[in-house]
């Protein structure tokens, strides 16, 4: 009989090894799933994980890696702070949309201008929009004890409708011949988030993501606040005695993750997406939850996990084209990855002991 | 303008609009009473929606559809049960994984079913009773699932209040260590509760795709599972209040749809936000009264149970 024995502290080796195991298990299970759908499993897995980097269309798909990984990493870094402290912001998708809206509205309000101050102002407003949207669950939690999980999630749907209202109303392109959607930032150089180095896919969002990784690393390993975040999550009572203010901590965790999600939205709407439309939301806010966990809530881990998740996005699109694999397959694939990760985590937190049936009886006697 | 909305029809359509969240919420109530927080309701609902839809279309029988949805919802919830009860994973993270996986997986199996019409679910026949003025058209002309959902509420209420098994379930939810010390099978009971919750969520999803809409579209649950979670909190874990809560939200949904149809001068998008905003408002009102909110919450809710001996 197998028995679980809690480790005094999570095993460092297994903590690092479980994501790798989870990815391998997902590839196998995913292969079975694709086989069940009537696709060649090995080919499908190769198309998703190998071809975007080294296949024949790699020169097109490689830059996409940074384009997709940027927002994922940016959002996941913010979420990881909260998850560490057991503050569950799962509405990053909404904060991402509000950041895009606030930033885009700022840019469009000054149309047409060529001031160099415009883009920085939009960045600030984008972060502010996400921050504001995340502070709603924070304030409600602190003032009334309302669950931040449910409120932040409900606000995703509200943001979705505001987005749709904006693309039909306030922000609609006056020269768009009545079609919904804002002006395209591509034709508005002062507000456009262009590629910094041609052909790499690196835009300001990628720079911000790298900055966030470094900042989070410093915060968590070198700063007292990072220590407070960890204590609050692992031993809430000890944190209370150590004088950690739950009000401050919840506000910082939710506010920061909201601001980073807002930034991600701003860089997306002014760059790859180009405009506010009804279907601007792309699920980055939800996939970032997987990225945060897959990266073990560690900044460097998140960086790697973000790149891997971006790879599955691009590989999924490629598989859609070449193998006719439905786009939803990748979503199911990503969900499966999180399942396997959580399952294998048992190895990090527990020792598995083989207990003979005799000794079980002996223990009971 | 408000005069164009017929109160009898409003209540009749309110009952239909509420049934999906009602079913999902009563299932989640049992799960939470056993001390488990399953945030995967949305995922189980949407898998139930497509599984029920596919079963009903393939077999031509709505009954088979609902059965298939319940089985699919329960099967999916068993993944959650295995991870949280056997492998002792974090319930919040696992529930989120269930929702993310369910949304993707349902879209995957739903590929061939967009635009297909499901077989119609027949209405209950109460004979001449359905012709009673006001009450007839309001309450007695629905499909069987509306009544089944109310029966499930009554059954859960009676189970928790009057049966020994119900008492054990509540004990497990209040203090799993004490229940374990008394010799109750904490894990087995929780797995059963989770499967029941999954089956109910599946039924709720199938009601959406087979009766309420009725067709299959990707992501069609649109947060209904999350609203169901909110209703359990709103109901302070009491079965009949789940009914009240679900009908309240159904009422808001139907009213805003009616206002849209009546052509009120508010943009459609702002009306569509109403159910979500009201959910937040109600959650705030409930949780603001902390003493009452805490009274009924199962004390072991969301905590990992690991029997050390």
């Amino acid at each position: 009989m197998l028995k679980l024995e809690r480790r005094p502290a999570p095993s460092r080796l297994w903590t690092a090894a479980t994501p790798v195991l989870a990815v391998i298990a997902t590839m196998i299970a995913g292969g079975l799933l694709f086989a069940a759908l009537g696709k060649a499993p090995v080919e499908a897995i190769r198309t998703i994980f190998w071809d975007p980097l080294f296949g024949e269309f790699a020169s097109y798909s490689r830059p996409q890696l940074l384009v997709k990984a940027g927002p994922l990493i940016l959002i996941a870094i913010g979420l990881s702070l909260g998850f560490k402290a057991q503050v569950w912001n799962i509405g990053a998708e909404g904060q991402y949309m509000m950041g895009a809206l606030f930033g885009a509205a700022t840019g469009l309000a000054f149309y047409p201008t060529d001031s160099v101050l415009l883009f920085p102002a939009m960045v600030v407003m984008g972060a502010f929009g996400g921050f504001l949207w995340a502070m709603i669950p924070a304030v409600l939690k602190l003032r009334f004890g309302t669950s931040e999980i449910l409120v932040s999630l409900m606000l995703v749907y509200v943001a979705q409708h505001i987005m749709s209202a904006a693309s039909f109303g306030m922000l609609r392109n006056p020269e768009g011949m009545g079609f919904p959607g804002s002006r395209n930032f591509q034709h508005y150089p002062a507000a456009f988030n262009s590629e910094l180095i041609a052909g790499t896919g690196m835009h300001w969002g990628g720079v911000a993501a790298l900055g966030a990784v470094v900042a989070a690393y410093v915060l968590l390993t070198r700063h007292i606040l990072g220590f407070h975040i960890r204590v609050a999550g692992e031993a809430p009572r000890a944190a209370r005695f150590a004088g950690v203010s739950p009000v401050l901590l919840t506000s910082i965790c939710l506010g920061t993750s909201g601001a980073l999600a807002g930034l991600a939205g701003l860089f997306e709407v002014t760059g790859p997406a180009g405009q506010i439309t009804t279907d601007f939301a792309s699920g980055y806010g939800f996939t970032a939850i997987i990225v945060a966990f897959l990266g073990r809530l560690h900044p460097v881990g998140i960086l790697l996990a973000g790149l891997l998740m971006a790879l599955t996005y691009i590989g999924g699109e490629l598989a859609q084209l070449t193998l006719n694999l439905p786009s939803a397959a990748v979503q199911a694939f990503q969900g499966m990855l999180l399942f396997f990760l959580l399952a294998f985590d048992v190895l990090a937190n527990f020792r598995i002991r083989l207990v003979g049936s005799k000794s079980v009886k002996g223990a009971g006697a | 303008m408000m005069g164009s909305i017929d109160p009898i029809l409003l209540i009749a359509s309110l009952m239909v609009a509420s049934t999906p969240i009602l079913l999902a919420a009563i299932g989640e109530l049992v799960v939470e009473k056993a001390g488990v927080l399953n945030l995967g309701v949305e995922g189980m609902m949407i898998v139930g929606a497509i599984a029920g839809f596919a079963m009903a279309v393939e077999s031509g029988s709505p009954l088979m559809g609902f059965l298939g949805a319940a089985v699919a919802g329960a099967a999916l919830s068993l993944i959650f049960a295995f991870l949280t009860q056997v492998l002792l994973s974090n319930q919040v993270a696992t529930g989120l994984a269930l929702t993310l996986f369910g949304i993707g997986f349902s879209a995957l199996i739903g590929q061939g079913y967009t635009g297909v019409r499901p077989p119609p679910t027949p209405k209950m026949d109460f004979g001449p009773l359905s012709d009673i003025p006001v009450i007839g058209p309001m309450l007695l002309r629905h499909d069987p699932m509306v009544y089944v959902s109310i029966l499930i509420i009554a059954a859960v209420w009676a189970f928790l209040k009057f049966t020994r098994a119900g008492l054990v379930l509540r004990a497990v939810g209040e203090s799993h260590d004490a229940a374990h010390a008394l010799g109750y099978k904490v894990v087995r009971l929780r797995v059963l509760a989770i499967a029941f919750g999954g089956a109910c969520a599946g039924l709720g999803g199938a009601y959406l795709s087979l009766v309420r809409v009725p067709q299959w579209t990707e992501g069609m649950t649109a947060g209904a599972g999350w609203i169901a979670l909110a209703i359990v909190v709103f109901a302070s874990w009491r079965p009949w209040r789940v009914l009240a809560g679900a009908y309240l939200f159904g009422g808001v949904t139907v009213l805003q749809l009616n206002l849209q149809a009546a052509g009120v001068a508010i943009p459609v998008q702002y009306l569509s936000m109403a159910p979500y905003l009201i959910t937040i408002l109600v959650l705030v009102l409930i949780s603001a009264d902390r003493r009452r909110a805490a009274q009924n919450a199962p004390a072991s809710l969301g905590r990992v149970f690991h029997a050390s001996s």
Side-chain angles (χ1 to χ4, degrees):
Chain A
M1 193 190 147
L2 291 175
K3 195 164 172 294
L4 296 177
E5 193 175 281
R6 188 176 281 283
R7 295 176 193 270
S11 149
R12 290 182 73 112
L13 173 72
W14 281 113
T15 306
T18 43
V20 180
L21 276 181
V23 170
I24 296 171
T26 309
M27 283 186 186
I28 296 170
L32 292 175
L33 182 72
F34 297 143
L37 286 169
K39 314 281 176 199
V42 178
E43 202 189 343
I45 298 292
R46 204 200 62 218
T47 311
I48 293 176
F49 286 98
W50 183 261
D51 286 359
L53 293 176
F54 309 106
E56 53 178 320
F57 305 111
S59 56
Y60 160 75
S61 52
R62 247 180 262 150
Q64 282 294 310
L65 196 64
L66 286 182
V67 170
K68 299 254 195 279
L72 285 176
I73 294 169
L74 205 50
I75 300 172
I77 287 282
L79 293 182
S80 70
L81 298 180
F83 291 174
K84 263 183 192 296
Q86 306 275 343
V87 177
W88 301 98
N89 172 14
I90 58 169
E93 184 79 2
Q95 294 139 23
Y96 169 84
M97 283 187 261
M98 291 315 276
L101 266 180
F102 269 60
T106 310
L108 294 169
F110 293 102
Y111 182 87
T113 176
D114 47 12
S115 164
V116 287
L117 293 176
L118 181 68
F119 193 67
M122 288 166 68
V123 171
V124 170
M125 284 307 283
F128 180 66
F131 171 80
L132 214 59
W133 210 240
M135 283 316 276
I136 299 174
V139 169
L140 294 182
K141 182 181 174 77
L142 294 169
R143 181 74 185 75
F144 304 108
T146 316
S147 155
E148 79 278 21
I149 299 179
L150 291 172
V151 174
S152 63
L153 196 276
M154 287 293 136
L155 287 173
V156 174
Y157 295 97
V158 176
Q160 180 91 63
H161 288 300
I162 295 179
M163 195 84 182
S164 155
S167 49
F168 277 99
M170 297 170 282
L171 298 183
R172 173 147 72 180
N173 182 359
E175 291 151 27
M177 291 178 290
F179 285 107
S182 72
R183 281 181 198 279
N184 198 313
F185 286 98
Q186 255 174 346
H187 312 303
Y188 185 9
F192 185 56
N193 171 24
S194 56
E195 236 179 355
L196 295 174
I197 309 163
T200 56
M202 189 68 162
H203 59 64
W204 283 110
V207 176
L210 288 176
V213 168
V214 174
Y217 184 81
V218 172
L219 176 78
L220 288 172
T221 54
R222 297 281 178 273
H223 198 280
I224 186 74
L225 182 64
F227 175 70
H228 283 172
I229 288 176
R230 282 184 4 235
V231 175
E234 284 164 26
R237 251 172 76 81
R240 194 72 58 87
F241 288 129
V244 177
S245 151
V247 174
L248 196 66
L249 206 68
T250 308
S251 315
I252 289 177
C253 288
L254 273 164
T256 312
S257 57
L260 289 180
L263 275 182
L266 176 271
F267 290 128
E268 189 71 16
V269 75
T270 52
Q275 61 177 154
I276 296 280
T277 48
T278 47
D279 51 2
F280 170 73
S282 46
Y284 282 142
F286 292 115
T287 310
I289 297 175
I290 304 180
V291 171
F293 282 115
L294 188 65
R296 317 266 59 184
L297 308 182
H298 186 284
V300 179
I302 289 172
L303 179 70
L304 298 174
L307 289 168
L308 181 75
M309 280 312 225
L311 186 65
T312 63
Y313 266 120
I314 303 159
E317 279 169 20
L318 209 60
Q320 232 175 307
L321 288 174
T322 56
L323 301 177
N324 211 6
L325 201 70
S327 62
V330 170
Q331 247 182 310
F333 204 74
Q334 292 171 344
M336 211 150 47
L337 183 57
L338 187 48
F339 274 142
F340 279 114
L341 184 77
L342 293 165
F344 284 126
D345 252 0
V346 75
L347 296 170
N349 294 321
F350 294 89
R351 237 180 231 115
I352 296 178
R353 282 276 157 84
L354 197 66
V355 184
S357 54
K358 261 186 197 159
S359 65
V360 169
K361 262 182 208 152
Chain B
M1 189 164 52
M2 292 295 280
S4 63
I5 298 172
D6 178 0
I8 294 176
L9 278 180
L10 189 73
I11 292 179
S13 51
L14 170 163
M15 290 176 76
V16 172
S18 315
T19 300
I21 34 178
L22 179 62
L23 284 163
I26 193 65
E28 178 67 14
L29 180 134
V30 172
V31 178
E32 292 194 11
K33 269 290 182 192
V36 178
L37 180 65
N38 185 353
L39 293 183
V41 182
E42 178 85 1
M44 300 185 297
M45 262 186 111
I46 196 147
V47 168
I50 183 58
F53 190 85
M55 273 298 269
V57 168
E58 301 302 336
S59 69
S61 144
L63 179 67
M64 286 306 289
F66 281 109
L67 283 178
V71 171
L76 198 65
S77 74
L78 285 178
I79 303 179
F80 175 85
F82 179 69
L83 286 176
T84 58
Q85 302 306 308
V86 181
L87 299 180
L88 307 176
S89 67
N90 178 310
Q91 293 180 7
V92 173
T94 315
L96 285 174
L98 196 62
T99 291
L100 293 173
F101 175 75
I103 292 172
F105 186 65
S106 64
L108 188 60
I109 43 180
Q111 291 289 315
Y113 289 100
T114 25
V116 179
R117 285 200 144 271
T121 309
K123 304 268 185 254
M124 282 290 268
D125 187 11
F126 288 104
L129 287 179
S130 303
D131 297 327
I132 303 172
V134 184
I135 295 177
M138 197 160 76
L139 302 175
L140 299 176
R141 285 186 191 172
H142 292 298
D143 54 276
M145 280 311 285
V146 169
Y147 308 109
V148 168
S149 69
I150 298 170
L151 284 178
I152 292 179
I153 296 265
V156 166
W157 169 74
F159 170 77
L160 289 175
K161 198 172 168 70
F162 299 120
T163 69
R164 191 178 161 75
L167 189 65
V168 174
L169 184 111
R170 275 156 51 205
V172 165
E174 289 301 333
S175 167
H176 45 221
D177 291 322
H180 175 67
L182 284 170
Y184 297 128
K185 305 286 182 204
V186 174
V187 170
R188 187 185 302 167
L189 208 89
R190 284 188 169 165
V191 169
L192 287 175
I194 292 168
F196 175 77
C200 283
L203 280 180
Y207 192 83
L208 265 179
S209 62
L210 289 176
V211 181
R212 170 109 166 85
V213 177
Q215 59 173 344
W216 163 252
T217 44
E218 275 183 30
M220 68 182 299
T221 44
W226 294 101
I227 292 183
L229 276 160
I231 284 176
V232 178
V233 180
F234 166 77
S236 6
W237 293 270
R238 291 174 191 213
W240 290 111
R241 288 199 197 162
V242 165
L243 183 82
Y247 278 16
L248 177 73
F249 285 95
V252 172
T253 311
V254 168
L255 196 64
Q256 66 87 5
L257 286 174
N258 272 299
L259 287 174
Q260 281 186 22
V264 181
I266 308 169
V268 175
Q269 290 90 355
Y270 294 106
L271 285 172
S272 313
M273 277 176 213
Y276 306 106
L277 288 177
I278 289 185
T279 306
I280 295 176
L281 186 72
V282 166
L283 277 174
V284 167
L285 289 178
I286 287 294
S287 48
D289 186 359
R290 280 184 198 206
R291 206 163 39 84
R292 217 195 57 174
Q295 217 169 32
N296 259 314
S300 292
L301 187 60
R303 280 174 38 212
V304 171
F305 171 68
H306 177 223
S308 47
S309 60

